[in-house]
Amino acid sequence: MKITQYLHDVYTEMVHKVSWPTWKELQSSALIVMIASLLIALVIFVMDFSFERLMEVVYRVLS
């Protein structure tokens, strides 16, 4: 009995009380997330590449 009431309440809230974004807002948000993800990936790549080169120089000097 409690589970059916809970599911009914969830359905009612999701349909009548939640404000869903418009298609345009959804596209805009998705674009922002994609650009931010690419920028973060680029920063991590540059850091990894730089650290790799730095470690090669350190190993070469110490060898």
Side-chain angles (χ1 to χ4, degrees), residues 41-63:
L42 181 63
V43 167
I44 291 172
F45 172 76
V46 168
M47 290 170 58
D48 183 52
F49 185 79
S50 301
F51 187 72
E52 182 181 0
R53 296 295 171 242
L54 175 65
M55 294 310 295
E56 285 177 2
V57 169
V58 169
Y59 290 147
R60 204 174 301 126
V61 168
L62 293 177
S63 294

Side-chain angles (χ1 to χ4, degrees), residues 16-52:
H16 300 292
K17 295 181 181 178
V18 173
S19 62
W20 296 97
T22 64
W23 181 247
K24 190 72 175 168
E25 291 171 335
L26 192 61
Q27 287 177 325
S28 176
S29 296
L31 183 63
I32 291 169
V33 168
M34 285 188 282
I35 290 171
S37 297
L38 287 173
L39 287 174
I40 291 169
L42 181 63
V43 167
I44 291 172
F45 172 76
V46 168
M47 290 170 58
D48 183 52
F49 185 79
S50 301
F51 187 72
E52 182 181 0

